[in-house]
Amino acid sequence: MNESKNVQQTDESGQSSQFSALIRDLFGESARELSAFGADWIRAARYRSSLKIWKLAKKWAQDSQLTTKQPPLKFLLPFIEHSSLDGEDETLAQMWSGLLLNASSFYETKHETYTKVLSQLSPDEARFLKTLFNSTSSNEVYEYSNFSEFFSDRHEDFETSMHNFNIPHQGYEVNDGIITFVFHGDCIGSTSNFILTDWPEGQIMLHLSSLGLVRNKTESRLINDDRSFAFSSMLSPLGYDLINSCERPE
């Protein structure tokens, strides 16, 4: 029994030393206080997650020859706490690594906020946002007519990017920063009984909307007596900047 405990303590000690070395590699000897803090409380699975994220950040920094410096502790401490829970998922691990490097290259106060927002995303929600991000551009998101929509009280229906309403149930299309899910009318007997949380993408859309990262819209059409319902999400300026701040810096 004692031998097993000794092996576990040895493993944790080695992981702690490795984590501290990665911090010093990125930020230099001035990060000694931070590495000591991490060594005190990060354990087991959190070590593995943190090591994965920091290793990737170090590799990206070296590959791109980035000059990094330690961001403020008010960013780093919550970053370490939140990111250490997400290292097992590849998408989230890469986003945390990107956020770390962006904050280490040119720190802005928004990076502290983004640690809290990113910690609230599931892997599927992160991939949903990246799908939208990869299909649009900053010019489209920040174009005045689009940007102003997120500060308006209007809730009118809109014309989606969908043109083929014969797509099967839960089919979708991504176009110009908008992802659209289409349901045939016979799939929704009554709109009053249709609940978005009954399908996984609807849950994602609602949660991301509650975080202010997307705006959801609805539309119904009647084509040759065939009714279809479309549910769409588009990135908000906040959502776009969050993903952009979590991308690998070049």
Side-chain angles (χ1 to χ4, degrees):
M1 181 68 99
N2 290 336
E3 182 178 350
S4 176
K5 288 185 177 179
N6 290 336
V7 171
Q8 182 179 358
Q9 291 174 354
T10 300
D11 289 343
E12 290 183 356
S13 176
Q15 291 172 336
S16 173
S17 299
Q18 189 176 9
F19 182 67
S20 299
L22 285 168
I23 292 177
R24 289 195 300 271
D25 286 342
L26 276 173
F27 305 133
E29 288 299 321
S30 62
R32 187 173 300 172
E33 176 185 354
L34 176 65
S35 62
F37 176 84
D40 287 337
W41 69 276
I42 297 182
R43 294 291 184 268
R46 284 195 163 192
Y47 265 124
R48 292 191 295 272
S49 293
S50 293
L51 287 172
K52 180 177 180 179
I53 291 167
W54 287 70
K55 279 182 177 179
L56 183 58
K58 177 184 175 182
K59 180 181 186 302
W60 284 352
Q62 291 176 337
D63 291 347
S64 300
Q65 297 182 333
L66 293 176
T67 300
T68 56
K69 62 180 180 180
Q70 180 180 319
L73 286 177
K74 69 177 183 177
F75 164 81
L76 281 169
L77 299 188
F79 176 92
I80 292 173
E81 178 180 0
H82 293 311
S83 65
S84 64
L85 298 173
D86 286 332
E88 292 184 0
D89 179 78
E90 195 65 32
T91 299
L92 285 173
Q94 290 179 3
M95 291 178 69
W96 281 112
S97 296
L99 181 59
L100 175 61
L101 281 185
N102 277 290
S104 303
S105 303
F106 185 75
Y107 178 74
E108 298 181 71
T109 55
K110 67 181 182 182
H111 293 136
E112 181 184 354
T113 300
Y114 289 166
T115 63
K116 300 172 184 176
V117 177
L118 186 54
S119 70
Q120 298 179 67
L121 298 183
S122 70
D124 287 340
E125 289 167 346
R127 284 185 276 274
F128 188 95
L129 289 173
K130 286 182 72 70
T131 296
L132 289 175
F133 179 84
N134 292 332
S135 70
T136 190
S137 67
S138 59
N139 290 337
E140 292 172 327
V141 172
Y142 296 114
E143 196 273 325
Y144 178 77
S145 62
N146 291 332
F147 187 85
S148 60
E149 286 186 5
F150 293 91
F151 299 92
S152 170
D153 292 329
R154 297 175 299 167
H155 296 287
E156 72 275 11
D157 287 343
F158 76 118
E159 293 295 314
T160 71
S161 61
M162 291 297 302
H163 299 291
N164 177 8
F165 278 82
N166 292 318
I167 293 178
H169 176 50
Q170 290 194 4
Y172 72 94
E173 180 179 294
V174 182
N175 189 17
D176 296 332
I178 301 174
I179 186 167
T180 302
F181 297 87
V182 176
F183 292 81
H184 288 297
D186 57 6
C187 295
I188 304 177
S190 171
T191 55
S192 61
N193 294 327
F194 183 77
I195 302 174
L196 279 176
T197 54
D198 284 345
W199 55 296
E201 291 84 355
Q203 296 178 30
I204 290 174
M205 293 166 69
L206 288 174
H207 186 227
L208 294 180
S209 177
S210 73
L211 296 176
L213 303 178
V214 301
R215 181 177 180 181
N216 300 323
K217 297 183 179 181
T218 62
E219 178 192 16
S220 64
R221 283 185 177 181
L222 187 63
I223 303 176
N224 297 326
D225 294 326
D226 184 16
R227 182 172 295 279
S228 298
F229 300 91
F231 301 85
S232 300
S233 277
M234 63 183 297
L235 277 179
S236 70
L238 174 65
Y240 182 90
D241 195 61
L242 167 70
I243 302 302
N244 191 49
S245 297
C246 295
E247 288 287 282
R248 175 182 177 177
E250 298 297 336

